Amino acid sequence: MTQPIFLVGARGCGKTTIGKALAKALGYAFVDTDHWLLESTRMTVAEIVESEGWPGFRARETQALKTVTAPSTLVATGGGMVLAAENRQFMREKGAVIYLQVEPQELARRLEAFPEEGQRPTLTGKPVSQEISEVLADREPLYRQAAHHVINAARAPEQVVAAILAALRLAQAS
């Protein structure tokens, strides 16, 4: 298997952590679109949003997705990557899309335990737990629409990686 793999899900669901471990298990290159943007623009997500607004950031995010997609590459996407129908269709057509599903309470717990202020600007200005619930309610259908596989990512990273590998093997066999 050499098709690209895309991880989608809310911020804090483990896309980077799981992505690195899964890429290693598969012998894939790993790219995080938010980190790629940081390196290519020399600006944080928060700085891009401040200077160009969310529409400018979303346009850069789409370009990043298209630029980093390659065979044998695992792409951890930003939490809002699925907002654009173009991105959902691109990922579904170019590779395997894995939705790392985590309940809002667990996402809030993770984000409060490991805040990345400069990397993750608030979308609503509300407390993390309230924002996560609201944003996830809007995006859940989009994550599911984009996904080939929905994986419970509330478990330990090695369990999540094993579940993804099993799902990919099953899909390849059919």
Side-chain angles (χ1 to χ4, degrees):
M1 179 175 78
T2 62
Q3 71 173 340
I5 296 172
F6 302 96
L7 298 182
V8 300
R11 62 187 179 134
C13 73
K15 294 180 299 280
T16 301
T17 301
I18 301 301
K20 288 178 180 178
L22 183 59
K24 185 176 180 184
L26 292 169
Y28 270 38
F30 174 80
V31 181
D32 178 303
T33 58
D34 284 348
H35 291 130
W36 186 89
L37 272 172
L38 179 90
E39 290 178 11
S40 67
T41 64
R42 303 237 184 269
M43 295 167 66
T44 65
V45 172
E47 289 166 343
I48 295 171
V49 170
E50 188 176 320
S51 68
E52 300 175 21
W54 281 106
F57 171 74
R58 296 294 178 211
R60 285 182 179 267
E61 190 175 51
T62 294
Q63 189 55 52
L65 175 66
K66 293 179 177 179
T67 301
V68 304
T69 297
S72 300
T73 301
L74 192 138
V75 181
T77 65
M81 186 69 76
V82 297
L83 292 173
E86 171 187 4
N87 294 346
R88 294 190 307 273
Q89 181 178 349
F90 178 86
M91 291 186 291
R92 281 196 64 84
E93 290 175 357
K94 298 292 183 187
V97 185
I98 312 291
Y99 169 30
L100 298 180
Q101 195 273 328
V102 177
E103 293 301 316
Q105 301 84 348
E106 176 62 13
L107 291 171
R109 187 194 66 74
R110 290 178 183 183
L111 292 173
E112 287 166 349
F114 303 101
E116 294 179 46
E117 296 301 335
Q119 189 64 12
R120 295 177 170 165
T122 179
L123 298 172
T124 62
K126 296 177 181 173
V128 170
S129 57
Q130 186 179 351
E131 178 176 281
I132 287 294
S133 293
E134 292 175 12
V135 170
L136 195 55
D138 290 340
R139 294 182 182 174
E140 172 87 11
L142 302 177
Y143 293 135
R144 289 186 178 279
Q145 182 185 31
H148 292 101
H149 308 283
V150 178
I151 302 293
N152 173 359
R155 303 171 283 180
E158 55 276 4
Q159 293 174 311
V160 177
V161 169
I164 294 169
L165 291 171
L168 292 172
R169 277 193 296 273
L170 250 176
Q172 199 173 24
S174 55

